[in-house]
Amino acid sequence: MMPKLVVLLRVKDGIFFVHEWLENVGKLVDEIVAVDNGSTDGTFEVLKAHPKVVDIVQTEGFNEGRDKNLVYAMARKRNPDWCLWIDVDELFEPELTRADFERLMRSKIVNKYGFRRFHFVDREHFAGSRYRLHYSAGHDRLLWRESPQGYFENVIIDSPNVKGISGLRVNTDFRLKHLGYINKEIVDKKADIYRAIIPEKEETFQEMYLHNERKIKWEDKRSSLKVRKMNWLLTYLRLTTIFPRIINKIKGFIKSRLKPGLQKQVQ
């Protein structure tokens, strides 16, 4: 029996991408569960009508942690073997098939797989500055083997990847196209939502506009020399950060074990 794969989606006003997303993701997964955070542009209706969307609810008020844990609970009711989180403005590269995912999920020892995201400036080009490539070098989208220990951090904004999934993680060369920055109106709306919650992060909001970015032409063919060279470059960039990341983890571990009084002395 093939493993069951359920994708989790949290979305608000995603009509610009939702049809393309459903076509792209629908061929890779068994079921889709979704939380719609008060869409008014028809996104909820499109999702509800799709045969792969087996459960969808609506929420009010912006709260990422709440919504992600809600949609995770919905996914668990479907008894998945594996779960996947991606946003409505993220598409897997077109050459990937369900068979590619089944090869990953058949593993008996790997519990998490990471995927790389490329931030697109327009439909044909992704951001190629060193800063953005360092970001893409990290594998910040996950496919994980379902576990009762899994959860999302209960924070209002920027709740990161699923937590609590122990075991071996393998980072793949599977690529995601992040298209959310190609439409200024969508970026404006997202920035306004964030600005109302954390106004002190204005500099971060401005980075969403990808001003003066170096453009690199996207190549669909995974076996092309251009794609392989980019994967090698990103792997190299990731390796250059390994020691700082290890040191930060050690510091975090030590800090978490110190008594409150000692923490103040260290700071």
Side-chain angles (χ1 to χ4, degrees):
M1 181 180 297
M2 290 295 101
K4 182 176 181 179
L5 172 56
V6 176
V7 67
L8 289 62
L9 174 68
R10 177 188 182 272
V11 64
K12 179 180 177 65
D13 291 336
I15 200 67
F16 189 80
F17 300 110
V18 69
H19 293 283
E20 189 176 9
W21 186 89
L22 286 168
E23 181 179 357
N24 178 267
V25 174
K27 68 181 181 181
L28 302 174
V29 306
D30 297 297
E31 295 178 349
I32 300 168
V33 293
V35 164
D36 181 283
N37 188 218
S39 292
T40 58
D41 63 353
T43 298
F44 177 81
E45 290 75 17
V46 170
L47 287 169
K48 190 173 183 179
H50 196 277
K52 285 285 180 81
V53 179
V54 296
D55 196 3
I56 182 170
V57 299
Q58 287 188 299
T59 58
E60 296 181 359
F62 188 92
N63 190 319
E64 284 191 26
R66 175 202 64 192
D67 289 353
K68 286 188 174 184
N69 281 300
L70 173 59
V71 77
Y72 197 3
M74 293 160 58
R76 283 174 161 146
K77 292 179 181 178
R78 307 303 304 180
N79 297 314
D81 298 299
W82 290 80
C83 293
L84 169 69
W85 177 277
I86 59 172
D87 290 333
V88 75
D89 57 5
E90 298 168 355
L91 306 175
F92 279 102
E93 53 186 316
E95 287 193 349
L96 290 184
T97 67
R98 171 64 186 219
D100 292 313
F101 280 82
E102 288 179 355
R103 281 193 291 273
L104 299 181
M105 295 186 294
R106 279 198 293 265
S107 172
K108 301 298 184 183
I109 61 172
V110 180
N111 285 348
K112 294 172 284 187
Y113 292 99
F115 310 126
R116 283 176 169 148
R117 285 194 304 159
F118 292 77
H119 304 295
F120 275 63
V121 179
D122 54 47
R123 281 281 178 178
E124 302 296 327
H125 302 86
F126 61 89
S129 66
R130 190 173 183 84
Y131 171 77
R132 294 293 173 181
L133 290 180
H134 264 289
Y135 193 97
S136 294
H139 297 73
D140 68 342
R141 284 292 179 262
L142 288 179
L143 168 71
W144 70 92
R145 191 189 306 273
E146 169 52 4
S147 165
Q149 284 70 49
Y151 67 96
F152 286 93
E153 290 186 20
N154 190 23
V155 294
I156 293 176
I157 193 169
D158 198 25
S159 176
N161 279 318
V162 65
K163 303 292 185 180
I165 306 298
S166 60
L168 181 63
R169 168 175 171 160
V170 171
N171 290 327
T172 75
D173 63 358
F174 288 9
R175 300 176 297 164
L176 279 163
K177 303 167 70 174
H178 178 213
L179 302 175
Y181 297 149
I182 68 173
N183 184 298
K184 184 178 182 300
E185 182 180 352
I186 292 174
V187 176
D188 287 342
K189 288 181 179 179
K190 182 180 290 188
D192 286 342
I193 291 173
Y194 291 171
R195 192 175 286 116
I197 301 170
I198 46 173
E200 69 276 9
K201 297 290 186 178
E202 183 62 35
E203 185 176 345
T204 301
F205 307 148
Q206 291 303 315
E207 291 178 0
M208 296 163 57
Y209 292 93
L210 303 182
H211 296 304
N212 303 315
E213 266 293 336
R214 174 193 176 202
K215 295 182 179 180
I216 298 180
K217 177 83 170 173
W218 175 265
E219 169 65 59
D220 279 339
K221 193 170 181 60
R222 285 173 50 78
S223 62
S224 73
L225 180 59
K226 180 180 179 180
V227 171
R228 285 185 287 174
K229 287 172 65 176
M230 177 55 66
N231 284 331
W232 295 336
L233 171 61
L234 295 178
T235 298
Y236 166 75
L237 292 177
R238 189 61 174 169
L239 288 174
T240 63
T241 68
I242 190 168
F243 292 112
R245 286 186 284 117
I246 290 174
I247 291 172
N248 286 336
K249 284 187 176 181
I250 293 174
K251 286 182 177 178
F253 176 80
I254 294 174
K255 193 173 181 179
S256 69
R257 296 301 188 272
L258 292 176
K259 294 179 180 179
L262 290 178
Q263 285 188 28
K264 292 181 181 179
Q265 293 179 27
V266 172
Q267 291 171 353

